[in-house]
Amino acid sequence: MNTTALEPLLRDATIKAIDGVAKKLSGVERSAEGTVARLLTHWNEMDAEDKEHAVGIAIATVSTAVMAIAAFRGKSKKPLKSAGKRLVRAVAKKVG
């Protein structure tokens, strides 16, 4: 599995999904702004580069956690461990 080809797809899909939710909720009138509303307001104010950076970190973190859980449950830990390391390095290289 080519993890470097998967990461840009995940990043773009995540940004589009959060943008969609943020735009839909920004039009809703609220008397008291909650934590999620403040987060989405901040998201709407971010530029594209900052969004890519934030989503890249989130994807790397989630991917590492999923690989770790799979490695603990699986019999063969070596392939998952090396694939997880490659994915984290690829995302960290693009983000950093």
Side-chain angles (χ1 to χ4, degrees):
M1 180 176 173
N2 187 357
T3 57
T4 57
L6 182 62
E7 192 271 333
L9 293 173
L10 283 171
R11 185 186 64 232
D12 293 342
T14 304
I15 290 172
K16 285 180 184 178
I18 295 172
D19 279 341
V21 170
K23 287 178 185 172
K24 287 177 185 175
L25 291 179
S26 68
V28 177
E29 293 291 328
R30 292 193 179 103
S31 58
E33 194 173 70
T35 305
V36 174
R38 285 194 305 266
L39 177 64
L40 293 175
T41 300
H42 179 67
W43 178 264
N44 286 333
E45 294 169 354
M46 292 171 66
D47 60 4
E49 185 177 315
D50 290 338
K51 288 180 181 181
E52 286 185 18
H53 182 65
V55 170
I57 291 170
I59 290 171
T61 303
V62 171
S63 300
T64 303
V66 169
M67 289 293 197
I69 291 167
F72 283 127
R73 291 186 176 182
K75 293 179 182 178
S76 175
K77 297 177 184 173
K78 297 262 183 198
L80 291 173
K81 189 175 180 181
S82 63
K85 285 182 181 179
R86 285 193 310 269
L87 178 63
V88 170
R89 283 189 206 122
V91 171
K93 186 177 180 180
K94 289 183 180 187
V95 171

